[in-house]
Amino acid sequence: MSLFITFEGIEGSGKTTQIKILDDILKLRGFETVLTREPGGTVIGDQIRKILLDSENTGMTPLCELLLYAAGRSQHVERIIEPALKAKKIVLCDRFADATTAYQGFGRGFPVELIDIINRLAVGKLKPKLTFLMDCAPEIGLKRARERIALLEKTLSEDRFENEALAFHEKVREGYLTIARAEPERVIVIDVNQDVEAVHQEIVKHVLRFL
Ligand code: TMP
């Protein structure tokens, strides 16, 4: 069966941990899945990711950033996501178009109408069936993200966004919550201030509705 599920949230919200657990569980139950992420997901997308997240790239303009995310996404949709859905697989994607609305729209201040047009250009009619918004206070998420960087789980050069001020991440969180309020059927807000197992159980409960 084909199903497109995305995970969203601010830095350090635990979405990458949860998407991996869900992927393992679905595979164990015999489903064919594709676990992918943005920015990235393709060879070209990973090259774009490096440019986007490199903390040396302090001079990147907000418009350049917005268009690079869209460029990587169009490659990802055409080469990976749509073929997998056509092959009746379950696609789990760590961030997708909502991230552009939240980060470049609410965070950087581009009008949401413009973001909608650019997102549509990149993804066509594709829309996730289900989106998990892993919600936590930016102070908590950023603390976790910075601890992870310190442990070198993420390469040190990938921290351009973690270096943004707290106020930026607060706007991003508000952006995500605004999207969730507008599309409550699709976007499920998960309070991540629970243990990993409880969060996982809540996610599985929603995914089972579609299987
Ligand atoms: P990651 O740390 O979850 O891999 O995400 C990389 C960063 O890219 C994260 O700080 C969020 C940011 N981002 C955007 O600003 N816009 C987007 O459209 C996407 C997909 C990610």
Side-chain angles (χ1 to χ4, degrees):
M1 67 162 308
S2 79
L3 181 61
F4 183 29
I5 302 176
T6 60
F7 279 65
E8 300 281 358
I10 58 161
E11 333 294 315
S13 58
K15 65 188 168 42
T16 307
T17 302
Q18 287 295 335
I19 202 170
K20 282 187 186 140
I21 300 176
L22 180 62
D23 185 51
D24 287 345
I25 291 292
L26 290 173
K27 283 198 167 88
L28 275 175
R29 290 185 176 210
F31 292 99
E32 274 199 275
T33 63
V34 171
L35 174 58
T36 187
R37 69 169 177 182
E38 287 195 4
T42 62
V43 174
I44 291 172
D46 279 335
Q47 290 169 356
I48 294 174
R49 178 184 175 94
K50 273 209 190 92
I51 299 170
L52 276 165
L53 304 188
D54 189 341
S55 51
E56 301 275 295
N57 284 337
T58 48
M60 188 182 298
T61 68
L63 182 58
C64 175
E65 178 185 284
L66 170 64
L67 295 174
L68 283 176
Y69 278 112
R73 180 162 304 129
S74 72
Q75 184 76 10
H76 192 207
V77 167
E78 207 169 317
R79 291 283 190 264
I80 304 290
I81 301 177
E82 282 185 338
L85 293 173
K86 276 202 185 95
K88 304 276 176 236
K89 293 180 183 169
I90 298 178
V91 176
L92 304 176
C93 191
D94 190 337
R95 297 195 188 280
F96 192 60
D98 293 326
T100 302
T101 306
Y103 280 81
Q104 281 65 52
F106 285 79
R108 297 278 188 238
F110 279 105
V112 171
E113 301 74 34
L114 173 71
I115 304 279
D116 286 347
I117 291 168
I118 292 175
N119 273 344
R120 225 171 308 129
L121 184 67
V123 311
K125 291 203 170 91
L126 181 65
K127 197 153 194 153
K129 269 267 174 305
L130 198 54
T131 295
F132 291 107
L133 170 54
M134 312 294 283
D135 184 53
C136 71
E139 295 85 349
I140 296 170
L142 278 178
K143 187 168 171 278
R144 287 213 298 222
R146 285 177 183 143
E147 280 165 5
R148 206 176 48 209
I149 287 168
L151 286 170
L152 285 180
E153 192 184 296
K154 219 170 172 185
T155 57
L156 268 178
S157 61
E158 272 204 356
D159 58 357
R160 200 168 63 88
F161 279 87
E162 281 83 353
N163 292 336
E164 286 286 343
L166 192 59
F168 174 81
H169 294 280
E170 272 159 3
K171 285 190 252 175
V172 172
R173 182 193 193 193
E174 193 43 48
Y176 273 133
L177 290 171
T178 304
I179 298 169
R181 279 193 294 271
E183 292 184 71
E185 283 294 307
R186 173 176 71 88
V187 184
I188 311 294
V189 182
I190 307 271
D191 175 4
V192 300
N193 297 311
Q194 326 168 51
D195 64 45
V196 171
E197 182 54 28
V199 171
H200 169 65
Q201 289 307 333
E202 203 178 331
I203 289 170
V204 166
K205 187 182 79 190
H206 289 284
V207 173
L208 284 178
R209 287 195 282 133
F210 291 88
L211 299 180

